[in-house]
Each structure stands twice: as C-alpha cells, then as structure tokens.
C-alpha cells in the first residue's frame, strides 16, 4: 500500500456506505448481542467449502463469505472484481489490489465505534485503551516543530559495538537480532515478565539493551559513540560456558546458544500454557522456529514413515566440501523465480536448498525396520519444510572439521534479495520430479515469500578471521556493521559478499 493510503476504497464509498459498513460490523464482526452472535455462528460459513474457520472474510460489495486461508475469498474477488473484504474475526479490511490490509481513517473510526458498543452491550467495557496524545503532549509537539527526517544516509537505529577481545562473533549476531523487526517490537514493548534475578537473565539484559538505548539516545537515536556490551558478554559466559574466554568463537554457534538461552529465559512470557507440553509460546519460538518434515520411504513396500522436528536454522552443504555435492544442472525456472543467476557458473542458495530437500538413498549399511514389511529394508529419506518460521536463517557450512581435515570453504554462493520457499514445502512434494521443480507464479500466493534483511560474513582463515554484518535499514538502505564502525553499503556489496549466515524475514504475516 502506498504512503498515501489505499486508492481503491473510494469505489466503495458511495451512497449509504457508512450505514452498510456499520451493519457488517454489528452483525458479523463484533456481534454485541446474543442474537447477533447466534446469527453470526449460523450464517458465517464459507460459501465455497462450508468451513466455519480458516479466517473467514466477508465481501464488502455483496453478501458473500469465504475463507482467506484457502484463497476462496481471493477467487471471489478476482471473478467479481470486488476488491475489498473484511476479516470477520479482527475487523481488518483487506484490499486485493494492494494485497494488504489497509487503513482508512473513516472506516477505522466506524470499526472503533461499533467495537465499543459491542463491549458495552456485553458489559465488559473496553478491553484495550487506545493511545491518544494528552493535551500537554500536543502542546509540546506544537512548541517543538523540528523533526528528524529519515534520509538515505540516516543512521537512526544503528550503533556500533565495541570489540571486547575477539568478540566480533557476538557483535555481528547482536546486530542481526536487534534488527529483527518482531524481536525488536517485543523488547521495546516491555513484554518480558522475569521470574529470575534480573542480573542473571539474558532476556532482561537484551530488554535493557533495547530500552536503555531508546531512552538514552543509543541504538534508535543514531548516537555516534559505540555501545560496550560487557554485561551481555558476562551473561553469555555464565549461561553458555563453552563460549567463555577470549578465543575466537563461531558466530553460528553463538547464534544457536543465544537463541537457546533466550528461549529458556522467556518461556511462556505471554502467560499462555500450551496444550502441547512440547510446544512453546515464547517470542523466540514464535519468530525463529519452523518444522522440518522427514519422510523415510521403504524401497520394497513403499510405505512412508513421517516425523516432524523443530528447527531454528537450516545448515546447507557447499560445493568444495568433503561431502559430495549433488551435481545440479543450472537452476532453470526455480533460480529465475528467486532472482538468481548461473551466468558465472556460481552455485546459488536455491541449488543448496534443492540438494537439502532431494531424496537420499540410505543404502544397505543403514537399513531401517519397516513397519509394513516387519523387517529391515533399504529406504530413501527426504527432508522438506512442513512449517516455515517468520525469520528463516540459512547457515552455509563454510567450516569443515574432521579427523583428517580442518579448513574453511570459500566457495561463492549467490543468494537473492527475495526468496520463495514454496518449492521446498512438504505440500509441494508431489509436484517434484527427480529433483526438478515445476513452479507456477501465483500473484495472490505470498505465504512463503521472504526478504533478506541481514548477512553475516567471515573474512580470513579458520585460525584467524573476523566477522562483519550487513544490515538492511528502512527499505533498500544497507549498512555494514564492523564492530564499532558502521558504514553505508550498496546492494551490490551485500550480494557480492561471501555469506555465512543469511537472515530472511517473511514478507506477509498471517494471524495465528
């Protein structure tokens, strides 16, 4: 949606549109009275599949209910050219031309008015108080008209970190985490409820880092003096003792250790107890956890055994390692889909993902007992993505450690600014033939599309090296974070870099 708002709402604002919109909110969204709630439960079903769930939306132009998750409301919008629909659970208005939920001041006011009326009818008052500036705050704004403008070279939200002695591995991960949008929002909204001593909780320290730097003009003011993360380093040493000391550590290992400690310290911060004891509702799992599906197929009876395991990152083998890399033909349609090029013969991120998700023959030395044959049989194993995380982190396995060999793999891997993970989903498995993917472009399907927002690089050798990070800042502005020094970077600088850890963020987020 453009900064000026959605240009398509004017087509809806004719005749008695306000009255019609109020009726929709009263009867099918907020439903204050028992009678309207019964009517909503009875009539609000998908007109295509008959489902009550799957995020029902109502067309604003005609009487038509359909589910958003299965794209039935999208089909209706496309065939009837009815571009606006309303979410019957949350009341948000979606524009199919903008492909986003939109904000319109008049519509928003109608939604708020009807929501207050519904809460009043239910006798529960307002659940949430909306923020409005006080008279004093408005007066201060009038007397202080000067504003800081965001420019292409603006460094608001960026601050260097002092290297405390071979701690570049920590600094580069801290920069990536502090620029993860949902994690930043969590810490800045003071949602962590600590049950530990504050001086021993890593989440409190991260929260303090965000809060202090905001209030005292650090990260989010563009303050030029670098921050000294000594408390953070002390807590890392305390809770991840294998990382203690001033030796150079692996940035990937630090990332996993940091996520693990943060996960343990902020478990169930939202106050909800999960129905599944193995499922966690903490902010770390909400953002970083995905589901990896493993299908083991018996070569005799073709029975399939499926398991799904959680993951925080995906480690990808590279050409040049001692592990044989699957000989791939140029990526064809799939590489073109993700904006990658084989013109220089370079391996792409898509190639690595194709290798990761290809069927693998386990061989006679790794026979598995088949539940169908009731005997040990040869089998094939295939990994696919059952559930994608909000933030997908790809670890390019550049450091090889074995009994005979310790070295760094410097193979260049081309990675895109935008990545479509649809071909690697478990749901796309049926369309794959011998490692070749058939992909059709669906402009309405943005569920599995990601945008690059951080790249961690390692320069040097296995014994002596240095970590830096590229961070995306407001739109396509990139900066290089080299400990205490932050400099402007071009998109070419980012895409030409070697790449060790690649952080991608989902372009569109769905309601839980």
């Amino acid at each position: 949606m453009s900064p000026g708002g959605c240009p398509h709402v004017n087509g809806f604002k004719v005749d008695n549109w306000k009255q019609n919109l109020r009726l929709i909110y009263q009867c099918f969204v907020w439903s204050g009275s028992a009678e309207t709630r019964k009517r909503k439960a009875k009539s609000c079903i998908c007109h295509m599949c008959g489902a009550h769930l799957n995020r029902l939306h109502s067309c604003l132009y005609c009487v038509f209910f359909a589910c958003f998750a299965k794209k039935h409301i999208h089909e209706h919008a496309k065939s009837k050219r009815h571009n606006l629909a309303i979410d019957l659970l949350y009341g948000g208005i979606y524009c199919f031309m903008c492909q986003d939920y939109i904000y319109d001041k008049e519509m928003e006011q109608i939604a708020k008015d009807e929501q207050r009326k519904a809460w009043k009818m239910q006798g529960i008052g307002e659940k949430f108080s909306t923020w409005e500036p006080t008279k004093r705050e408005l007066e201060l704004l009038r007397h202080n008209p000067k504003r800081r403008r965001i420019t292409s070279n603006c460094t608001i939200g960026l601050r260097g970190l002092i290297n405390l002695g071979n701690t570049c591995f920590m600094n580069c991960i801290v920069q990536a985490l502090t620029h993860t949008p949902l994690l930043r929002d969590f810490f800045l909204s003071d949602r962590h409820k600590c049950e530990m001593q504050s001086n021993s909780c890593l989440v409190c320290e991260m929260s303090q880092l965000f809060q202090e730097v905001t209030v005292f003009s650090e990260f989010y003011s563009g303050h030029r003096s670098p921050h000294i993360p000594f408390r953070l380093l002390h807590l890392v040493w305390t809770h991840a003792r294998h990382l203690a000391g001033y030796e150079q550590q692996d940035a990937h290992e630090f990332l996993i250790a940091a996520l693990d400690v943060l996960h343990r310290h902020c478990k169930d911060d939202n106050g909800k107890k999960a129905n599944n004891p193995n499922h966690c509702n903490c902010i770390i799992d909400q953002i970083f956890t995905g589901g990896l599906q493993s299908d083991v197929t018996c070569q005799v009876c073709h029975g399939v055994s499926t398991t799904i395991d959680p993951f925080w990152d995906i480690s990808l083998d590279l050409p040049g390692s001692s592990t044989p890399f699957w000989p791939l033909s140029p990526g064809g349609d799939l590489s073109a889909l993700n904006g990658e090029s084989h013109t220089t013969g370079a391996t792409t991120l898509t190639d690595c993902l194709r290798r990761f998700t290809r069927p693998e023959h386990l061989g006679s030395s790794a026979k598995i007992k088949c539940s169908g044959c009731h005997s040990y049989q040869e089998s094939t194993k295939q990994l696919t993505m059952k559930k994608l995380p909000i933030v997908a982190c790809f670890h390019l396995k550049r450091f090889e450690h074995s009994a005979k060999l310790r070295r760094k793999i410097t193979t260049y891997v081309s990675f895109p600014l935008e990545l479509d993970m649809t071909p690697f989903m478990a749901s796309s498995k049926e369309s794959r033939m011998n490692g070749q993917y058939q992909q059709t472009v669906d402009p309405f399907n943005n569920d599995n599309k990601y945008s690059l927002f951080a790249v961690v690089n390692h320069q040097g050798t296995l014994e002596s090296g240095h970590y830096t990070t590229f961070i995306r800042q407001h739109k396509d502005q990139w900066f290089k974070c080299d400990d205490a020094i932050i400099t402007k970077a071009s998109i070419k600088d980012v895409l030409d870099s070697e790449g060790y850890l690649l952080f991608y963020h989902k372009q569109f987020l769905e309601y839980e």
Side-chain angles (χ1 to χ4, degrees), residues 330-342 348 350 416 418 441:
D333 293 339
L334 189 58
S335 291
L337 175 73
N338 283 324
E340 297 167 317
S341 172
H342 284 80
T348 68
T350 298
E418 295 188 349
V441 179

Side-chain angles (χ1 to χ4, degrees), residues 241-436:
R241 294 191 177 277
H242 62 290
L243 296 175
Y246 288 102
E247 296 84 9
Q248 178 65 273
Q249 303 289 348
D250 180 17
H252 173 250
E253 190 175 356
F254 175 80
L255 170 67
I256 299 303
L259 291 179
D260 180 57
V261 176
L262 288 169
H263 159 74
R264 286 189 277 116
H265 286 193
C266 68
K267 215 169 184 178
D268 294 325
D269 262 343
N270 57 8
K272 297 178 182 176
K273 297 297 179 184
N275 295 326
N276 182 353
N278 296 320
H279 176 73
C280 176
N281 292 316
C282 79
I283 189 64
I284 299 301
D285 277 350
Q286 288 179 43
I287 297 174
F288 294 96
T289 299
L292 189 65
Q293 179 169 315
S294 173
D295 294 317
V296 178
T297 305
C298 173
Q299 294 297 284
V300 176
C301 70
H302 301 292
V304 180
S305 173
T306 298
T307 56
I308 299 171
D309 296 306
F311 68 87
W312 279 335
D313 71 314
I314 299 169
S315 293
L316 300 171
D317 289 317
L318 302 179
S321 67
S322 57
T323 304
F325 195 82
W326 184 34
L328 294 165
S329 60
D333 293 339
L334 189 58
S335 291
L337 175 73
N338 283 324
E340 297 167 317
S341 172
H342 284 80
T343 53
T344 59
T347 302
T348 68
L349 178 61
T350 298
D351 290 338
C352 297
L353 285 167
R354 289 172 67 197
R355 183 191 186 282
F356 183 80
T357 57
R358 84 195 193 285
E360 177 186 3
H361 185 67
L362 297 181
S364 57
S365 61
K367 289 184 178 180
I368 294 175
K369 189 170 184 179
C370 174
S371 58
C373 300
H374 303 290
S375 61
Y376 286 91
Q377 303 289 355
E378 291 189 22
S379 58
T380 59
K381 179 181 178 181
Q382 184 172 15
L383 299 175
T384 50
M385 310 296 162
K386 179 65 176 178
K387 175 182 176 291
L388 290 172
I390 293 174
V391 169
C393 175
F394 299 104
H395 165 225
L396 305 183
K397 294 163 72 173
R398 295 201 173 277
F399 302 129
E400 190 170 35
H401 302 272
S402 65
K404 298 180 179 179
L405 197 62
R406 291 181 74 253
R407 65 185 180 120
K408 179 185 174 183
I409 300 166
T410 58
T411 304
Y412 173 70
V413 176
S414 169
F415 50 90
L417 288 173
E418 295 188 349
L419 177 68
D420 190 347
M421 288 292 289
T422 302
F424 312 109
M425 297 294 292
S427 56
S428 302
K429 187 179 175 183
E430 296 298 323
S431 64
R432 287 199 282 269
M433 297 294 292
N434 299 322
Q436 299 301 314

Side-chain angles (χ1 to χ4, degrees), residues 106-145:
E106 290 180 298
M107 290 179 165
E108 183 74 9
Q109 191 58 51
I110 290 172
K112 286 182 179 179
D113 290 344
E114 296 306 322
Q115 188 177 45
R116 289 192 187 100
K117 289 178 186 177
W119 285 342
K120 191 174 181 181
M121 290 175 71
Q122 295 173 42
I124 56 175
E126 285 204 25
K127 291 183 180 179
F128 309 101
S129 57
T130 55
W131 177 85
E132 297 288 346
T134 63
K135 288 184 179 180
R136 169 152 178 75
E137 288 169 338
L138 289 171
E139 195 67 24
L140 285 171
L141 288 171
R142 275 193 289 268
H143 282 85
N144 296 275

Side-chain angles (χ1 to χ4, degrees), residues 45-328:
I45 61 172
C46 178
H47 287 182
M48 288 191 177
C49 67
H52 283 272
L53 302 175
N54 293 323
R55 288 182 55 205
L56 282 177
H57 282 56
S58 171
C59 177
L60 286 186
Y61 295 90
C62 65
V63 181
F64 188 87
F65 304 122
C67 47
F68 193 93
K70 292 185 178 179
K71 309 291 185 185
H72 292 156
I73 192 69
H74 298 70
E75 293 174 26
H76 172 78
K78 190 175 181 180
S79 62
K80 300 293 185 180
R81 296 188 178 180
H82 292 174
N83 298 325
L84 299 178
I86 186 169
D87 186 329
L88 297 183
L89 182 60
Y90 297 99
I93 294 175
Y94 189 88
C95 175
F96 293 95
M97 298 296 288
C98 297
Q99 296 187 43
D100 201 356
Y101 288 93
I102 63 171
Y103 173 81
D104 179 84
K105 190 174 182 180
E106 290 180 298
M107 290 179 165
E108 183 74 9
Q109 191 58 51
I110 290 172
K112 286 182 179 179
D113 290 344
E114 296 306 322
Q115 188 177 45
R116 289 192 187 100
K117 289 178 186 177
W119 285 342
K120 191 174 181 181
M121 290 175 71
Q122 295 173 42
I124 56 175
E126 285 204 25
K127 291 183 180 179
F128 309 101
S129 57
T130 55
W131 177 85
E132 297 288 346
T134 63
K135 288 184 179 180
R136 169 152 178 75
E137 288 169 338
L138 289 171
E139 195 67 24
L140 285 171
L141 288 171
R142 275 193 289 268
H143 282 85
N144 296 275
K146 189 176 180 181
R147 303 285 183 269
R148 293 194 69 173
R149 295 184 179 275
I150 303 295
T151 63
S152 60
N153 294 316
C154 182
T155 57
I156 290 179
L158 289 165
R159 193 179 185 201
L161 297 168
I162 292 290
N163 190 319
L164 300 173
N166 281 331
T167 58
C168 57
F169 71 93
M170 179 182 76
N171 289 347
C172 69
I173 298 301
V174 169
Q175 292 286 8
L177 292 180
T178 53
H179 289 86
T180 301
L182 290 183
L183 195 63
R184 176 191 61 208
D185 295 346
F186 173 84
F187 284 118
L188 291 181
S189 58
D190 198 23
R191 289 171 57 193
H192 172 54
K193 302 174 182 66
C194 188
E195 297 180 358
M196 303 173 60
Q197 292 182 351
S198 60
N199 60 358
S200 64
C201 176
L202 185 63
V203 185
C204 286
E205 175 55 32
M206 286 294 288
S207 183
Q208 188 70 16
L209 178 68
F210 276 106
Q211 298 290 348
E212 280 185 0
V213 297
T214 303
V215 176
F216 298 111
S217 302
E218 295 180 5
F219 268 117
Y220 286 91
S221 69
H223 198 287
R224 294 187 181 278
S225 64
H227 179 66
I228 307 173
F230 65 93
R231 290 194 303 268
L232 182 65
L233 180 63
H234 171 71
L235 286 173
V236 169
W237 285 359
T238 302
H239 296 292
R241 294 191 177 277
H242 62 290
L243 296 175
Y246 288 102
E247 296 84 9
Q248 178 65 273
Q249 303 289 348
D250 180 17
H252 173 250
E253 190 175 356
F254 175 80
L255 170 67
I256 299 303
L259 291 179
D260 180 57
V261 176
L262 288 169
H263 159 74
R264 286 189 277 116
H265 286 193
C266 68
K267 215 169 184 178
D268 294 325
D269 262 343
N270 57 8
K272 297 178 182 176
K273 297 297 179 184
N275 295 326
N276 182 353
N278 296 320
H279 176 73
C280 176
N281 292 316
C282 79
I283 189 64
I284 299 301
D285 277 350
Q286 288 179 43
I287 297 174
F288 294 96
T289 299
L292 189 65
Q293 179 169 315
S294 173
D295 294 317
V296 178
T297 305
C298 173
Q299 294 297 284
V300 176
C301 70
H302 301 292
V304 180
S305 173
T306 298
T307 56
I308 299 171
D309 296 306
F311 68 87
W312 279 335
D313 71 314
I314 299 169
S315 293
L316 300 171
D317 289 317
L318 302 179
S321 67
S322 57
T323 304
F325 195 82
W326 184 34
L328 294 165

